Amino acid sequence: MAEKLKIKLSIANRVYPLTILPSQEEGLRIAAKKIDAMISQFEQSYSVRDKQDVLAMCALQFASQVEQKTLDNEHVSEHIEDKLKGLNTKLEAHLSS
């Protein structure tokens, strides 16, 4: 089992101590930077000063991106499944002739 790593991440001017696997560090640091960048963007674009409102908007933005990717993947999977069914039908027709 990998040894845990203690790190501190700063999000919205608050420091969060975390104990993580070393393999998680890069992803968490990138995510924290993206959150801070999105906070700055929302504060500038919408003149929002309440950190809770800004963090809620960030959470909604990230959650909607995840949901959209899930929906897109389902659509791609359905498309691939349809293509495979078509190929299977053609193969069966060819083999039975």
Side-chain angles (χ1 to χ4, degrees):
M1 182 177 250
E3 192 161 325
K4 299 279 184 156
L5 180 65
K6 293 185 180 198
I7 65 169
K8 293 180 181 180
L9 291 179
S10 177
I11 301 172
N13 299 321
R14 283 194 174 178
V15 176
Y16 296 92
L18 300 171
T19 302
I20 61 165
L21 294 173
S23 61
Q24 296 174 308
E25 183 179 11
E26 183 179 9
L28 286 168
R29 292 196 185 278
I30 291 169
K33 285 181 183 179
K34 286 183 178 183
I35 292 168
D36 276 336
M38 192 175 286
I39 286 170
S40 295
Q41 181 184 358
F42 280 134
E43 285 177 336
Q44 290 172 1
S45 297
Y46 300 107
S47 300
V48 179
R49 296 288 172 239
D50 183 358
K51 288 291 184 195
Q52 184 173 346
D53 289 341
V54 174
L55 288 169
M57 292 167 69
C58 287
L60 178 61
Q61 182 75 20
F62 282 118
S64 69
Q65 289 172 359
V66 168
E67 290 303 318
Q68 188 60 51
K69 284 183 181 178
T70 300
L71 292 171
D72 291 346
N73 287 341
E74 287 174 6
H75 178 71
V76 167
S77 294
E78 289 172 6
H79 180 71
I80 290 171
E81 187 176 340
D82 291 342
K83 291 284 187 182
L84 288 172
K85 284 179 182 176
L87 284 172
N88 192 42
T89 301
K90 288 178 181 180
L91 279 171
E92 286 175 353
H94 180 71
L95 292 174
S96 65
S97 55

